[in-house]
Amino acid sequence: MPQLPHNPAGQSRAGSPDPEISDPATVAIALAGRHGAGRIRHVETIAARAADVVPLPEWLDPGLAMALHGVGIGQLWRHQRVAADLVMSGRHVVLATGTASGKSLGYLLPAITAVAAGSREPSGRGATVLYLAPTKALAADQATRIGSLLVPGVRPATYDGDTPSEERRWIRQHANVVLTNPDLVHHSMLARHAQWRPFLRALRYVVIDECHAYRGIFGSSVALVIRRLRRILQRYRANPVVVLASATVGDPAGHASALTGLPVTAVVEDGSPRGELGFVLWEPPLVMGGDGSLRRRSATSESANLLAGLVDSGVQTLAFARSRAGVEAVAAAAARQLGPRGAQTPVAAYRGGYLPEERRALEADLRVGRLRGLAATNALELGIDIHGLDAVVMAGWPGRIASVWQQAGRAGRGGGRAAAVLVGADDPLDGYVLDHPEILFGAPVEQTVINPGNPRLLAGHLCAAANEKPLTEADAEFFGPGMGAVIEELVAAGRLRRRPAGWFWPHDAAPDAGSLRGTDAVVAIVEQRSGRVVGTVDSNAAHVQVHPGAVHVHQGASFVVTDLDLDLAVATVTRGDPGWSTVAASQSTFELGEAAEMEQAGPVGVHRGAVRVHRGPVTVRTRVVSFQRRLPSGEVIGQHRLDLPERVLQTEGVWWTIDPDALAVAGVAAEQVPGAAHAAEHAAIGMLPLFATCDRWDIGGVSTECHPQTGLPTILIYDAFPGGAGYAAHGHRVAADWLAATRDAVAGCPCETGCPRCVHSPKCGNGNAPLDKAGAVALLELLARPTVR
């Protein structure tokens, strides 16, 4: 098989034959039948695909060719050869094929060939390669694979925050394949580029792996880092070929060009073999809630049942959940259901916030088969080399069509049939997909949204760039036409200084580089008695997840937060399960900046312009004010006030203003407006990920029956990142389609007064009150009417 497998094809992870699995999809369907066949809403069969193989290229380094034959690779899949030949010819390339299609060989063949040849030059390092991955685990995984080839002269090394200081100098001076992440390039390599001079002068290839992960604020920031890197390489007269690897995304060439600022050729025809995939859309049953109302059983509980049942049937299964808490809940519930049998078929959780040694141990156990079931967040969606599992279960829509296929692609070994099960959550988008499976199986994958021209992001990177090398007008080649205006603001603020040779960083201290990932810091979760660091949480989420009194779950163990010190970035916890969970409540207000607007038609009898949609800068002020304690039944047993500081977010948003007369004509009475606007806001947040490459946690919303600036009922949807990420702007462009789909999702939900499948939100800071489903349908019908410009 033309990739670099950890184990020969057809062998189990433990080195012995797996239990006989005739068909994982049939097992999943049988489990549904055991509990009620009504759970299955749709079954799609994805046809098998035969391999399209071609010979190894003649230009391969002899040592590499020998190493490949040693691991059983004597030929390539066609897309690997096409990409490798293009890269070898000097073209910038993005290889966008399915999961486990061996994309890495498309860039490793030319890269290792160049490095091996360069090792025979007098310097011993005539060619170098810089490999960038979005996670440390992925870079470490690739370093292991390259090192296992034992090609003479090739010296790979990972260089990241975990690298001991004594190893760093050796890597800078001797390694010819450096595997790292954009964060390290941003914070260290570019600021100290003189220390890397020999490596950078010899740089022949830059590899950007899993480039579909670079979207929104993170992708925009990485795009600016790549431009800064190209600018420094120009100083050292290096002009490397850039190779990108991606899962299936909309317009991969366009995304790769936006990310790098270079013309990029896409290779998208997948020549790898694929077994038949049985894809099941699964809807949990209705159950009686603690308040006596009917609601869908949670996707988390349903996925835990599926995970346990599949593992118990001999099917090695990976279950994805959308949150850290969801991962812990799925793993713990599946382990409880397996009971004593879990000793032979263990199940574990894998998520961000674990310590590096915990993550590496779990990855190894899954590869060799000691773990038969794993619940994971999308930390494992990225290309860590774990694939060939029998089945994948997704606990709720993962946010994007591309993510669905990336996660489902983890299933399938040795060309055999595999299963993927998408368990719908009580959420507007999940319900819409279950009702319209063509959205998943017939629609193109979304385009990835990045905005490297974001002035807020650009300002910080221009300061960093000026510290690396003085800026000149010629640098607009890298930073775009908006560079000049941002530099003027930086000069006026005293952050940059103009001299005849350009713009300089005038301060002794280096500029604050900031985070690429939209959060400046993490909060450490520390056990009070032992002082042990249990895990971490993003500082932006700390107010909600680790406030005093919060119940935090880590690897199945419960902890109660006793103190949150935001200055020290430490949450102190005590181990113990109090028997309840906690939910934080918040209050938000918003201020609207100057906007571009488009006019919409009002209903018959009301003036044109009764409904307007706007896009522009907004300021959102949020304060977590209290939390509830809830029993597993959902019963609220207490509410407690909190005294936490206000958080201020300056970002971009899209908002609607509606004339009250138009609402009255549409059938929304004055007393219904608060609940109708609130419900429409929730549903619109839930549906935007269908049109933009975001999930509902990347965006936020606020609504009011009368905003002080507009004097009208106003609904705001905003990017949950400083300066904006492009999601709201994209929503503005597709407003008619987005709101029509939102209206259809709410109107088509069979509930009477609203439920999580239509207008309830899992992150509502007001406890999902007030909500008016009927009013929301009427309001959305009004918003979705054709645009008049």
Side-chain angles (χ1 to χ4, degrees):
M1 184 161 66
Q3 54 179 328
L4 301 180
H6 282 281
N7 301 283
Q11 296 294 314
S12 76
R13 299 303 185 276
S16 58
D18 282 335
E20 184 63 31
I21 302 167
S22 60
D23 183 350
T26 300
V27 173
I29 293 170
L31 289 172
R34 188 184 308 168
H35 300 288
R39 283 171 160 84
I40 295 179
R41 293 290 304 276
H42 182 83
V43 178
E44 187 85 8
T45 300
I46 312 298
R49 179 181 61 220
D52 183 3
V53 297
V54 295
L56 291 170
E58 299 77 11
W59 46 258
L60 272 186
D61 175 79
L64 175 57
M66 185 177 300
L68 293 175
H69 283 290
V71 294
I73 299 175
Q75 55 190 358
L76 297 176
W77 293 322
R78 185 172 297 278
H79 65 274
Q80 296 170 322
R81 175 65 187 270
V82 169
D85 285 341
L86 285 169
V87 172
M88 198 66 181
S89 72
R91 301 271 290 277
H92 306 298
V93 172
V94 57
L95 181 53
T97 53
T99 306
S101 62
K103 290 186 285 287
S104 59
L105 279 184
Y107 56 77
L108 286 179
L109 299 187
I112 293 179
T113 292
V115 167
S119 70
R120 296 188 285 270
E121 294 185 13
S123 68
R125 197 162 64 162
T128 60
V129 173
L130 179 64
Y131 170 95
L132 303 178
T135 65
K136 294 178 184 179
L138 178 53
D141 189 73
Q142 280 289 2
T144 300
R145 300 175 76 191
I146 296 170
S148 70
L149 292 172
L150 301 175
V151 178
V154 176
R155 300 182 295 276
T158 56
Y159 193 103
D160 56 36
D162 297 332
T163 305
S165 56
E166 61 272 16
E167 293 182 19
R168 296 190 175 203
R169 178 175 294 183
W170 183 94
I171 293 171
R172 291 194 299 268
Q173 294 178 348
H174 300 289
N176 47 22
V177 180
V178 172
L179 302 101
T180 184
N181 51 70
D183 310 80
L184 189 285
V185 176
H186 170 55
H187 289 286
S188 177
M189 181 180 286
L190 289 175
R192 301 173 179 85
H193 59 82
Q195 298 178 2
W196 290 88
R197 184 185 297 113
F199 178 87
L200 295 175
R201 280 180 173 165
L203 192 60
R204 188 76 60 84
Y205 295 105
V206 174
V207 177
I208 304 174
D209 205 355
E210 302 291 336
C211 72
H212 61 278
Y214 301 122
R215 60 182 184 270
I217 203 74
F218 181 35
S220 303
S221 298
V222 170
L224 289 166
V225 171
I226 299 301
R227 285 155 173 77
R228 285 166 49 205
L229 174 63
R230 289 176 50 218
R231 179 174 174 267
I232 292 300
L233 290 172
Q234 187 182 69
R235 171 176 179 167
Y236 294 118
R237 298 183 180 179
N239 188 26
V241 173
V242 180
V243 194
L244 305 96
S246 173
T248 302
V249 295
D251 189 17
H255 174 56
S257 292
L259 191 61
T260 62
L262 296 166
V264 180
T265 300
V267 176
V268 297
E269 295 296 328
D270 195 334
S272 64
R274 181 181 66 194
E276 188 174 274
L277 177 69
F279 204 124
V280 181
L281 298 186
W282 183 293
E283 184 169 47
L286 288 167
V287 295
M288 188 71 71
D291 58 359
S293 64
L294 284 175
R295 60 182 62 197
R296 295 284 171 187
R297 188 168 187 254
S298 77
T300 300
S301 299
E302 197 79 350
S303 297
N305 282 3
L306 264 172
L307 176 60
L310 288 164
V311 167
D312 203 30
S313 301
V315 179
Q316 191 180 30
T317 304
L318 174 61
F320 285 103
R322 296 188 292 193
S323 67
R324 295 179 175 189
V327 164
E328 297 284 0
V330 168
R336 284 196 302 270
Q337 290 176 48
L338 287 168
R341 300 188 305 281
Q344 288 75 42
T345 56
V347 173
Y350 180 108
R351 60 168 176 80
Y354 282 7
L355 301 177
E357 55 269 25
E358 293 177 316
R359 295 197 305 268
R360 303 282 164 79
L362 288 168
E363 291 159 17
D365 286 347
L366 188 65
R367 286 194 190 104
V368 302
R370 281 191 292 269
L371 272 180
R372 301 303 299 169
L374 189 73
T377 59
N378 66 355
L380 206 58
E381 176 188 321
L382 299 176
I384 299 168
D385 189 27
I386 296 174
H387 52 77
L389 303 174
D390 300 312
V392 164
V393 175
M394 291 165 269
W397 178 259
R400 293 163 294 276
I401 296 174
S403 291
V404 171
W405 292 112
Q406 180 77 349
Q407 293 181 3
R410 295 284 170 204
R413 71 168 80 189
R417 196 164 190 250
V421 184
L422 174 60
V423 180
D426 249 356
D427 180 273
L429 183 49
D430 293 56
Y432 191 80
V433 171
L434 292 176
D435 291 339
H436 300 86
E438 68 277 5
I439 291 295
L440 179 58
F441 301 111
V445 176
E446 314 97 330
Q447 294 189 18
T448 301
V449 177
I450 65 171
N451 178 23
N454 180 326
R456 188 182 181 94
L457 292 179
L458 185 56
H461 284 273
L462 288 175
C463 288
N467 188 51
E468 295 153 9
K469 172 190 170 187
L471 290 163
T472 68
E473 293 179 355
D475 288 324
E477 168 193 352
F478 301 106
F479 299 114
M483 181 188 82
V486 175
I487 285 179
E488 288 182 8
E489 294 179 2
L490 292 171
V491 170
R495 297 178 67 187
L496 294 182
R497 183 173 298 164
R498 178 70 187 264
R499 294 176 181 166
W503 291 275
F504 288 72
W505 176 254
H507 309 286
D508 293 334
D512 181 8
S515 171
L516 298 182
R517 299 173 188 259
T519 180
D520 293 329
V522 296
V523 171
I525 303 168
V526 178
E527 188 174 19
Q528 185 172 27
R529 178 173 296 179
S530 65
R532 178 175 67 97
V533 176
V534 174
T536 61
V537 63
D538 291 343
S539 61
N540 288 338
H543 289 225
V544 173
Q545 295 185 16
V546 290
H547 57 75
V551 176
H552 177 76
V553 180
H554 182 85
Q555 287 196 331
S558 293
F559 299 82
V560 177
V561 180
T562 58
D563 181 63
L564 172 61
D565 190 321
L566 293 169
D567 293 329
L568 296 178
V570 172
T572 306
V573 299
T574 299
R575 184 163 182 166
D577 184 357
W580 59 74
S581 61
T582 53
V583 179
S586 62
Q587 294 177 350
S588 298
T589 60
F590 60 99
E591 300 159 17
L592 306 172
E594 185 176 351
E597 69 176 33
M598 67 179 182
E599 195 173 87
Q600 287 195 319
V604 176
V606 178
H607 63 86
R608 196 180 77 169
V611 177
R612 295 174 186 261
V613 59
H614 316 250
R615 175 184 60 83
V618 298
T619 300
V620 181
R621 302 178 184 276
T622 304
R623 187 191 302 272
V624 175
V625 295
S626 64
F627 71 95
Q628 292 180 341
R629 291 182 295 129
R630 294 182 180 178
L631 296 175
S633 65
E635 180 186 353
V636 176
I637 59 172
Q639 182 155 326
H640 309 271
R641 295 198 60 79
L642 291 169
D643 183 17
L644 293 172
E646 180 181 77
R647 298 183 68 86
V648 180
L649 174 67
Q650 293 179 328
T651 184
E652 288 189 340
V654 54
W655 65 91
W656 293 265
T657 57
I658 311 104
D659 190 303
D661 292 339
L663 287 170
V665 171
V668 183
E671 63 272 15
Q672 290 181 278
V673 171
H678 192 193
E681 168 217 322
H682 282 183
I685 290 172
M687 292 301 293
L688 183 55
L690 192 61
F691 299 90
T693 49
C694 64
D695 59 42
R696 72 183 308 153
W697 303 96
D698 294 328
I699 50 181
V702 193
S703 58
T704 176
E705 62 179 316
C706 184
H707 191 271
Q709 288 176 262
T710 66
L712 297 168
T714 303
I715 300 172
L716 167 69
I717 309 296
Y718 61 87
D719 296 340
F721 299 98
Y727 303 137
H730 188 74
H732 183 265
R733 289 192 292 271
V734 300
D737 291 339
W738 169 28
L739 294 171
T742 303
R743 172 202 59 203
D744 293 346
V746 178
C749 182
C751 74
E752 292 185 7
T753 60
C755 69
R757 194 176 186 267
C758 57
V759 298
H760 288 195
S761 170
K763 59 175 186 173
C764 179
N766 296 308
N768 283 300
L771 293 175
D772 188 313
K773 177 185 176 180
V777 172
L779 189 154
L780 288 165
E781 175 66 32
L782 185 61
L783 296 183
R785 295 192 179 188
T787 299
V788 177
R789 296 190 183 274

